Amino acid sequence: MAGMALAVVIVLLVVGSLIFHYLSPWYFTPLASNWSTIDFTVDVTFWITGIVFVAVNLFTAYCVVKFRHRPGHRAHYEPESSRLEFWLTAATAVGVFLMLTPGLFVWGNFVSPPEDALKFEAVGKQWHWSYRFPGQDGVLGATDVTFMTPENPLGLDPTDPNGQDDVIVASPIVHLPVNRPVHALLRSSDVLHNFTVPQFRVKMDLVPGMVTYQWFEPTVPGNYEILCEELCGIGHFAMRGKVVVEEESRFNAWLAGNPTFADTLAVPEGNAQAGAASYAVCSACHGQRGEGNVALNAPKLAGLEGWYIRRQIHNFQSGIRGAAEGDIYGAQMAPMSRTLANDTAMANVIAYIDTLPDNPTEATIFGDPEHGEKLFMTCAVCHGKDAKGIWSTNAPRLAGASDWYLKRQLMNFHDRIRGGHDDDIYGEQMHMMALTLEDEAAMEDLVAYINTLQ
Ligand code: CUA
């Protein structure tokens, strides 16, 4: 009786697995590259292992019933059968051969990028992506992590003439032309990462100290998410990027809109005196000394990093920030940001803000700083233990900021009033982080702790 029950369970297991496989929504995304051969090898593996799985389990169920104990029957002991062993070995060898052979051909193709492929570089860093394209000369200049600074985030060697015309994409969003093979060179500045676009099927690790690669030909225009598929620390799950696949002419226009390395080096230093005039507009809300004004909902600016202010002004100008429904104060800031007409004006005003005294702010939020300290452990990974901000993780300084502003931003990130724009990939990271705070009280505890770090 028990034998019958066991056989039924085994059969149900097989039927259940098949139903799950065919009805499950978790399967390949639609293919959007040339790598149909990779899908083929996966399908071959599925079929062969699937047939073996069904056959072995049904045979087991059959044996359990057929050879169950019955009075008057005795098992016949037959430890060796060279005939059976020969056929089992032969069938297994054929199965393994069929599963592995297509993969060898695909791998051979995968490691041989076409000569005429468009080269570009993707650089991974905890926890974001940036890119570089060769300029007119078609050659990527030399790099070294020791050259990495806020002005030179990809670490190009400033003395290498080949690098001067390289196009720098200091954003997690990259564009690629459709129907043209691309050869992606992969570089990491810290730990192992992995460059994967599920719809392209190929993936490859980024290894510090070496340049790895993959190639593919995007075949369907559209937006695709880049995932890091190598566990690379606490922010691993939030290390996303985006590929925009489009017609070659649109791609070329996009590429031309990005600065060359020489352009980025020529960005004006910023003249604080000239910036003081532009700052007059800002001072109406943010205060003469950039101290912030709670009544006008304008946060403190003094003490903020230049790279962070630049990115936020750019986001306000381009509608990445301040355009979401419900973002009342962002909507006020968006038109103000447009008073800074160009990079020079922006650099000047940033230089001026840099001269403003960074005085402590008055606390307006009183939560439980001890609980906040525990919550801050997660924030510290990007923003630093002392909340002073870390450029290489794109995380601004929090210590000394207006506490009411920090709380409002946490709530905005939580509700995607901030960070909900498709192109706001750092904001999306903060959205995912804000979701880890269970309620408003937790946010207040966290901010109360940040207040102690001034
Ligand atoms: Cu980078 Cu995971």
Side-chain angles (χ1 to χ4, degrees), residues 134-338:
Q136 300 292 337
D137 62 0
V139 181
L140 289 163
T143 56
D144 195 294
V145 280
T146 57
F147 292 121
M148 286 182 171
T149 60
E151 291 73 36
N152 184 3
L154 300 185
L156 274 73
D157 180 347
T159 62
D160 182 359
N162 287 332
Q164 294 295 319
D165 66 346
D166 288 3
V167 177
I168 307 293
V169 183
S171 147
I173 302 167
V174 68
H175 292 222
L176 292 174
V178 69
N179 295 329
R180 177 160 175 206
V182 290
H183 181 171
L185 300 162
L186 308 171
R187 200 151 59 83
S188 166
S189 71
D190 39 38
V191 299
L192 291 175
H193 300 281
N194 184 295
F195 185 94
T196 310
V197 176
Q199 289 87 345
F200 297 167
R201 297 299 191 268
V202 282
K203 50 160 44 181
M204 182 51 74
D205 269 11
L206 282 64
V207 183
M210 64 190 280
V211 179
T212 54
Y213 67 91
Q214 60 175 247
W215 81 271
F216 51 86
E217 181 178 326
T219 51
V220 184
N223 294 347
Y224 303 96
E225 197 169 31
I226 299 169
L227 304 175
C228 174
E229 292 198 348
E230 188 68 68
L231 185 60
C232 56
I234 195 169
H236 159 69
F237 71 101
M239 185 169 167
R240 315 276 175 96
K242 196 164 93 176
V243 180
V244 178
V245 175
E246 59 195 2
E247 294 303 326
E248 182 119 21
S249 57
R250 294 188 61 182
F251 163 75
N252 287 331
W254 168 81
L255 192 62
N258 282 283
T260 63
F261 181 52
D263 290 341
T264 63
L265 293 182
V267 164
E269 273 288 293
N271 178 328
Q273 255 178 337
S278 313
Y279 184 78
V281 182
C282 321
S283 72
C285 295
H286 291 279
Q288 287 293 330
R289 322 234 67 194
E291 68 274 21
N293 185 336
V294 62
L296 295 173
N297 300 294
K300 178 180 163 190
L301 298 177
L304 272 183
E305 302 94 331
W307 55 262
Y308 178 72
I309 299 178
R310 178 174 283 115
R311 191 166 77 216
Q312 296 313 307
I313 294 175
H314 169 260
N315 284 355
F316 278 120
Q317 287 181 340
S318 57
I320 291 173
R321 187 175 170 191
E325 202 178 325
D327 191 359
I328 311 159
Y329 308 114
Q332 290 173 357
M333 181 59 202
M336 304 313 289
S337 68
R338 297 193 189 104

Side-chain angles (χ1 to χ4, degrees), residues 427-438:
E428 175 69 23
Q429 287 182 332
M430 267 309 296
H431 167 65
M432 292 187 242
M433 293 300 165
L435 289 182
T436 65
L437 298 168
E438 61 267 38

